[in-house]
Every structure is written in C-alpha cells, then in structure tokens.
Amino acid sequence: MDKQDSLLAERMSGLAGEGAMEIFAKASAMQAEGRDIIHLEIGEPDFPTPDHIVQAAVAALRDGKTRYTPAPGIPQLRKAIAESVSARIGSPVDAGQVVVTPGAKAVAFFAMLALLEPGDEVIYADPGFPVYASMVSFTGARAVPVRLVPQRQFGLDLQDFAAKVSPQTKLIVVNSPQNPTGGILDGEALQAVAAAACRSNAYVLSDEIYHWLQYDDSFVSIASLPGMQERTIILDGFSKTYAMTGWRLGYCVLPPDLVDAVTRLVINSNSCTCTFVQWAGLAALEGPQEACEAMALAFRRRRELIVKGLNSIDGVRCGRPRGAFYVFPDVSALGIRSRELAAFLLETAGVATIPGSAFGVNGEGFLRLTYANSEHNIQRALERISSALGQVRGAGEIRPRR
Ligand code: PLP
C-alpha cells in the first residue's frame, strides 16, 4: 500500500475532497441503515426538474441526439446562453465565447488549468466554496484567502483584500451570492475587485451559479463593470436554477483569448457535454420560467423560517443571508468545534449539516445548513437541533458518539 501511495503524482496532495459530498455520503449510508436523516448538508434544490425540461431530454433521446457534439456545445445552446448572459450583464455576448461543460464545477477547473502555474497567486474568499482552493493548489499556484466580515452580512473585508493583491495575482475568484454564507459582493466590493484586477492585469472568475437567488436587491455581475467583460470568466450552470444537479450541465462565458484553451481542455477530458442534456438545457432557457420563480419564492419563505428558528436556539446566532440557499449561523458560543458539532447533530439529532471549517479556516465557529429542503423538514430539523442541544447544554460538553 505504501508503495502504491508513493506512485501518486505529487500534485494530488493539493487536491482535497469536498465536505458536503463526504457528509452526504455518510448521512446517506446512515439512512440506508434505517436512520431517519434530515439532509441540510447538500446544496441541491429538493424540487423536481421542471417537466418540460425532462420532456425535451426524452424527445432528444428518441430523436437520436445521442452522438458527439462540437466540443464547446451545440450552437443552439451556446446562442441561447449568450443571449441570457447578455441580458444579465447588459452588453452583447458572442455565442463563440460560450463553452458548455459537464457541470459548472468543471469551468473552475478548466479555467485554472488554462491559466495557472507555480508562482501565480489566486485570491478567493474564506469561508468559501472549498473546491476553489483545492483546484488552485493542484495547479501548483498559491491560494490566497481573503476574510469575509460576519458582522457585515459576510461582505468582503476590503482592507484584507487590498493587502492580499500582489503583482503575482493572476486570478481573483468571486462568488456572489456566496456559498456558504449567503453573502453578496456589494457595489463597493465589486469596484474594489475590478480595480485590483485591472491594476494587476488579472482575470476574474465570477461564479454566478446563485445569481437568480438574490433576495433584497438585484444581482450585478462584475462583468458589467467598465472594462471587466474582457477579463471576466463567468461560471454558471443549470444545477441550481433549474433543479438539475444530477444532469451535469454548466457553462462559461470566456474572454475571447481563453476560448481555444478551454475548448482544448474539453476535447482532452470529456470530448463534449452529454448531447441530450444539452438539448434539455436549451428547453430550460427557452421554455417557461414559472417553475424557477416558484422555487425562488419557496426559498425566500424557507429563509425566514430557518433564520427565525435558529435564532431561537440558545447559543446560535444567525444573520439573514442575502442570497443563495444557505445559512451560516455563528455557533461559537456553544464552545465546541464545528466539526464535532456537525458530527454530534448527525449522530444525535439525525440532522446532516456541514462544519464551517470545511469552508476554510475562517469558517470555524460556524455551521452551514441549506434550506433547500421542505418547510416541514426544516421545522423538524430545527426542533431536533434545539432538543439535542438542550439535552446536553448545562452538562458542559457535547460529545459525538463514536
Ligand atoms: N459553484 C458554487 C458556488 C456551488 O455551490 C456549486 C455547487 O454546490 C457549484 C459551483 C457547482 O455546480 P455544478 O453542480 O453545476 O457543478
């Protein structure tokens, strides 16, 4: 076994797993053994994929849409994506700048593989979506975390950001609304990031997968700021917007100089994205949007429910997220590390959550819960968490059963 391990390439040591996927696997195994588990760990809408999208996939299959497509995607889908993103950023997008991928995660990987090498630095928010830092270190570049400010609804710490930008900064990753905190980049932060990217001649990877779920104000893409479209890689996909997590359909809008490189990465890794899934994606963009609007309304109601419920539990403080479908309550007053707390809640209450520390060092003291679950289940989870913590509070210590 030692010998086998030593055969792994050195770069594999930089590539981490993902907390959400690992806890989901554990919670699902417990469920398979008969435990009643409420899943508040994995960020996927609990709604079914809208029927007209499913029908489009079935029709495409029956119509023989089962062969390879051009590597960057079918022209019809690239055009529809270009139009949709163009409306979002308020300026023209050429279909030739769009590359369709098997899931949005692949965009981050392809962009980083295309751009980064040892010596380069990449700025990202901590706490943040953990795969960014993992992918950066896989390329041999340096991941440079910037703090968020919990007291300001997890806005970017602009002082810390300014201090971290350097001539080596090659890429700045932004994600707004954000996973795991639900924070957003406000106008001042967008301006600061744009100015820094221009100064350092860096690209911005703008993860806009939750752009459709910003609650109190309208979404602004950093690509819409002057001079930013030519240095912004927009990452997005169908997983969250259309409840299509298992379909694996994502895309990017690239500065023209990156299209060829990312297309070659697609050719060398997956050839093209699943053909009938691309046709389903076209139906998603061109068809009725009522199902997405209904989902967004449901998330808005659930946000109120979970924030209120968490704040009524002793030792838990939860701000109201500004977007996405996650809450990131401060649980530091409970006096237990977030990893142990998540393990305790899974074992004792049957509620799966993710420790804040899975999202970076600054996530310690917090827990991530998704409200992509029914109001009924959220209510049950809140009752179970409250009761599990109530039973041990005062006893001094919470110990997960081993
Ligand atoms: N970006 C963020 C911020 C996410 O939270 C996720 C999924 O959790 C993704 C990207 C990945 O999306 P996909 O399922 O399309 O790969």
Side-chain angles (χ1 to χ4, degrees):
M1 187 53 92
D2 281 354
K3 186 154 182 292
Q4 290 286 326
D5 287 344
S6 70
L7 293 179
L8 280 180
E10 176 57 32
R11 62 177 168 273
M12 284 307 295
S13 61
L15 204 61
E18 193 189 336
M21 291 295 183
E22 284 156 13
I23 292 172
F24 178 61
K26 177 157 190 224
S28 302
M30 288 168 70
Q31 205 166 16
E33 283 166 14
R35 285 286 306 271
D36 175 19
I37 302 291
I38 304 174
H39 292 276
L40 300 188
E41 80 285 39
I42 190 105
E44 68 177 342
D46 53 315
F47 301 97
T49 305
D51 195 51
H52 68 280
I53 301 176
V54 176
Q55 293 304 335
V58 172
L61 272 170
R62 295 216 181 283
D63 201 24
K65 303 270 184 356
T66 52
R67 298 182 185 274
Y68 293 130
T69 74
I74 55 172
Q76 296 87 336
L77 179 58
R78 293 174 81 196
K79 181 166 171 283
I81 291 169
E83 282 165 8
S84 148
V85 175
S86 172
R88 188 189 311 170
I89 68 175
S91 61
V93 171
D94 192 280
Q97 292 172 256
V98 175
V99 175
V100 178
T101 53
K105 246 184 199 173
V107 170
F109 220 162
F110 292 154
M112 290 184 191
L113 288 173
L115 286 174
L116 302 177
E117 50 202 348
D120 292 335
E121 293 181 359
V122 180
I123 293 188
Y124 68 102
D126 177 335
F129 189 40
V131 300
Y132 307 139
S134 161
M135 291 173 183
V136 170
S137 58
F138 181 76
T139 67
R142 198 162 80 85
V144 181
V146 172
R147 278 190 302 266
L148 299 177
V149 190
Q151 299 76 6
R152 285 199 292 108
Q153 294 173 295
F154 295 99
L156 196 64
D157 182 331
L158 292 180
Q159 267 189 343
D160 191 30
F161 175 72
K164 300 282 174 64
V165 179
S166 85
Q168 283 69 48
T169 306
K170 179 93 161 271
L171 182 67
I172 303 171
V173 181
V174 295
N175 172 215
S176 175
Q178 206 230 14
N179 174 7
T181 65
I184 64 162
L185 286 181
D186 60 15
E188 194 187 359
L190 287 171
Q191 294 284 355
V193 172
C198 293
R199 252 195 334 272
S200 302
N201 194 24
Y203 285 96
V204 171
L205 174 63
S206 180
D207 184 337
E208 303 187 355
I209 200 134
Y210 300 108
H211 77 271
W212 55 285
L213 202 50
Q214 186 162 322
Y215 298 106
D216 306 318
D217 31 27
S218 324
F219 173 78
V220 180
S221 169
I222 194 160
S224 65
L225 272 61
M228 287 308 292
Q229 200 180 340
E230 68 229 38
R231 56 173 79 249
T232 302
I233 300 155
I234 295 180
L235 172 159
D236 201 350
F238 293 72
S239 286
K240 320 278 177 177
T241 327
Y242 295 101
M244 290 175 73
T245 44
W247 295 66
R248 310 312 301 135
L249 185 61
Y251 64 82
C252 47
V253 175
L254 296 161
D257 53 319
L258 294 184
V259 173
D260 179 58
V262 170
T263 303
R264 274 184 287 137
L265 283 161
V266 171
I267 290 171
N268 280 271
S269 55
N270 58 290
S271 298
C272 66
T273 299
C274 175
T275 305
F276 53 88
V277 167
Q278 292 190 55
W279 287 100
L282 181 64
L285 287 179
E286 291 187 337
Q289 302 297 309
E290 282 80 10
C292 310
E293 287 154 17
M295 278 195 278
L297 269 178
F299 286 130
R300 187 180 281 273
R301 278 197 309 273
R302 295 167 181 187
R303 175 180 70 147
E304 300 308 318
L305 177 68
I306 198 163
V307 168
K308 190 159 173 254
L310 286 168
N311 279 322
S312 71
I313 300 173
D314 250 8
V316 179
R317 270 187 302 131
C318 184
R320 184 195 262 125
R322 300 176 76 179
F325 40 55
Y326 307 103
V327 276
F328 205 59
D330 182 340
V331 289
S332 55
L334 294 171
I336 170 173
R337 295 192 73 76
S338 63
R339 203 183 164 75
E340 284 161 29
L341 180 60
F344 170 78
L345 291 177
L346 180 57
E347 291 286 349
T348 311
V351 179
T353 61
I354 315 270
S357 57
F359 300 93
V361 286
N362 297 321
E364 184 49 54
F366 296 85
L367 211 57
R368 191 195 80 172
L369 299 85
T370 175
Y371 45 99
N373 207 327
S374 66
E375 287 181 41
H376 175 65
N377 279 340
I378 292 171
Q379 192 60 54
R380 283 170 64 224
L382 288 166
E383 282 158 16
R384 288 189 191 185
I385 294 172
S386 176
S387 136
L389 292 178
Q391 281 166 27
V392 291
R393 197 176 288 110
E397 236 179 308
I398 301 170
R399 282 191 193 285
R401 275 186 277 142
R402 304 258 164 222

